[in-house]
Amino acid sequence: MAVVTHDLAPVPVPHPVDVRPPLRRLVPLSLQHLLVAYAGMSTMPLLVGTALHLPEDRIRLLISANLLVSGLATLLQSLGVKWFGARLPIVMGSTFTAITPAVLIGKEHGLAAVFGATIVSGLVTVAVAPWFGRWLHLFPPLVTGTVIAVIGFSLVPSAAGLITGGNGAGGGRGLALAAVTVLLVVLVERLAPPALARFSVLVAMSVGALLAVPLGLFDGSAVRDAGVVSAPDPTAFGAPTFIVPAIAAMLVVQLVNMVESVGDTLAVGQIVERGDDAATVVRALRADGAATVVSGALASFPIVTFGQSVGLVSVTRVRSRHVVALSGLLMVVLAFVPVLGAAVAAVPGPVLGGVSLVMFGMVGAVGLRILARADLTDSRNLLTAALAFGLGMVPVGAPDFYAPLPSYARTIMESGIAVTGIVAFALNLLFHHTPRSRKDPVG
């Protein structure tokens, strides 16, 4: 008797980006992203509020609104809705690029003008996103790798600032605690089994926070003083107003943000081996723009991809976008429960700075890895990278270098990321997308 066999169709295996880890792993992995990103999300509104001499209750409202919008934006970017969202493990948050313009606009026209300009810049981002997708061929590894490397390396001083001047900073003890935190990340990554190595950052932060207690570097007073439940109140600052000079300044900021978002999105896409294409970049930029519109409406600031997420994905090798989505949901919860936000903020500065040092360094290393795909034996490419790096790092080493320039020019020139992106893009365009004026010598 003949045996009838039936060919079974292979069961499709989901991409690691789409895999949802079990809850026992999902929650702590999400906490890693939240803890690493929280300092940046709270620092931006804190600095703006302090510079504008706002009372503490108004500054807390700015921080709550920022957490709410960052959480919603992270959910949109990681899960995606139709034409919006890269559907990659990308954390979203407010950008430090907007601090100086926000303070200048706030002093002259009030925060309502900052929020109005933020709304307009978000709408423009959504409108021009498809053009960036069409121009993606003008962002080869030479450009994106250089930009991503400078994003990481230019953030290293902020990690050092957390170690020496952040919450719980304590001179030599703070430096020692930061060093131990970095060492813990390395040891867990090297010695722990793979299942535990994914939590290297969380383990280092937890142990570092515990070590801070006997060193006298842990301050939990903010947790005791924080309220249990509250709600962001965008009406506290009045309805957004739309003033042309303020809008023009914020559009410059948003151009910088778009360059950074393109670089971060492509970097994450290459790390997770999916999504480093024009369609994904367009959806990511649309999500940036939509989140920025909502951010202005809810009394917050421009939203951009967080470079820390690039570093964390690279270190932990956890590619699931659902991990990041849950961290976004947790941000939304923190916006309404100040006591939880205060508990996260109580992580000592040296601990958070040590971890950030690893994350930012990893972002820089990812950029160098992408840059290595370019032909650096070509002197034109080498010159492009050299000038982009050199000019981009000037604001990092000499923050007052461009002080003599007018404020609108300083908005661009004081951002190493913006300068790097402009120089790398322009030189790549000059050397590889314009007719040669002379022939290369033969022989």
Side-chain angles (χ1 to χ4, degrees):
M1 177 182 293
V3 178
V4 179
T5 60
H6 299 279
D7 293 331
L8 297 177
V11 178
V13 178
H15 193 280
V17 170
D18 298 320
V19 172
R20 184 184 291 106
L23 195 61
R24 68 181 184 277
R25 289 177 49 213
L26 182 64
V27 172
L29 288 171
S30 300
L31 281 174
Q32 283 191 135
H33 279 281
L34 174 64
L35 290 170
V36 168
Y38 183 87
M41 293 175 186
S42 60
T43 299
M44 198 277 182
L46 176 63
L47 291 176
V48 173
T50 302
L52 295 177
H53 307 292
L54 298 180
E56 288 188 8
D57 62 328
R58 290 294 187 268
I59 293 177
R60 284 197 293 269
L61 286 176
L62 287 178
I63 294 174
S64 295
N66 190 258
L67 277 171
L68 174 60
V69 176
S70 297
L72 294 174
T74 299
L75 285 166
L76 177 62
Q77 194 70 276
S78 56
L79 298 181
V81 177
K82 207 166 179 68
W83 299 296
F84 295 82
R87 299 181 180 91
L88 293 174
I90 297 175
V91 174
M92 305 289 289
S94 56
T95 168
F96 285 7
T97 311
I99 291 176
T100 300
V103 171
L104 294 174
I105 295 169
K107 286 181 177 178
E108 187 170 352
H109 304 289
L111 274 176
V114 176
F115 303 142
T118 299
I119 291 173
V120 174
S121 67
L123 291 172
V124 171
T125 301
V126 174
V128 304
W131 292 97
F132 264 73
R134 296 190 187 108
W135 296 340
L136 199 60
H137 67 284
L138 301 178
F139 292 86
L142 175 65
V143 176
T144 57
T146 305
V147 170
I148 294 165
V150 171
I151 288 174
F153 296 141
S154 65
L155 289 172
V156 169
S158 66
L162 286 170
I163 295 171
T164 59
N167 167 42
R173 291 174 298 162
L175 291 174
L177 183 58
V180 169
T181 304
V182 173
L183 182 61
L184 284 168
V185 174
V186 174
L187 291 177
V188 173
E189 179 71 22
R190 174 64 181 85
L191 301 177
L196 181 59
R198 295 190 180 98
F199 302 97
S200 58
V201 173
L202 183 60
V203 170
M205 294 183 74
S206 301
V207 175
L210 290 175
L211 292 175
V213 176
L215 291 174
L217 300 178
F218 188 89
D219 181 10
S221 59
V223 180
R224 295 190 298 270
D225 298 337
V228 178
V229 178
S230 71
D233 182 13
T235 63
F237 303 95
T241 58
F242 302 94
I243 298 173
V244 173
I247 291 171
M250 204 58 76
L251 286 175
V252 174
V253 170
Q254 199 62 10
L255 176 63
V256 176
N257 294 342
M258 292 178 74
V259 173
E260 183 173 352
S261 289
V262 168
D264 284 341
T265 302
L266 291 174
V268 171
Q270 291 178 18
I271 292 170
V272 303
E273 299 176 344
R274 190 180 84 173
D276 56 338
D277 55 74
T280 302
V281 167
V282 171
R283 292 198 307 269
L285 290 174
R286 285 198 187 110
D288 282 8
T292 298
V293 172
V294 174
S295 187
L298 294 181
S300 194
F301 307 99
I303 299 296
V304 70
T305 54
F306 253 35
Q308 292 94 318
S309 64
V310 180
L312 193 55
V313 171
S314 184
V315 169
T316 63
R317 300 177 298 281
V318 175
R319 296 184 276 178
S320 172
R321 58 195 175 100
H322 299 286
V323 168
V324 168
L326 180 56
S327 71
L329 183 60
L330 294 175
M331 293 174 208
V332 173
V333 172
L334 290 182
F336 292 93
V337 187
V339 68
L340 294 179
V344 175
V347 176
V351 174
L352 193 57
V355 167
S356 297
L357 193 64
V358 177
M359 296 299 100
F360 297 147
M362 185 62 72
V363 174
V366 169
L368 293 179
R369 185 175 69 184
I370 295 172
L371 178 59
R373 293 167 51 190
D375 180 13
L376 295 181
T377 61
D378 186 328
S379 61
R380 297 170 298 173
N381 291 347
L382 199 60
L383 178 61
T384 298
L387 283 175
F389 265 112
L391 295 174
M393 296 304 289
V394 166
V396 178
D400 298 326
F401 188 82
Y402 296 111
L405 298 180
S407 59
Y408 61 86
R410 288 171 53 197
T411 300
I412 298 177
M413 300 306 294
E414 290 185 349
S415 169
I417 298 168
V419 173
T420 300
I422 293 170
V423 172
F425 178 83
L427 291 182
N428 177 69
L429 200 64
L430 174 67
F431 288 141
H432 299 291
H433 296 276
T434 57
R436 299 295 303 273
S437 58
R438 60 181 175 82
K439 296 181 179 181
D440 291 329
V442 179

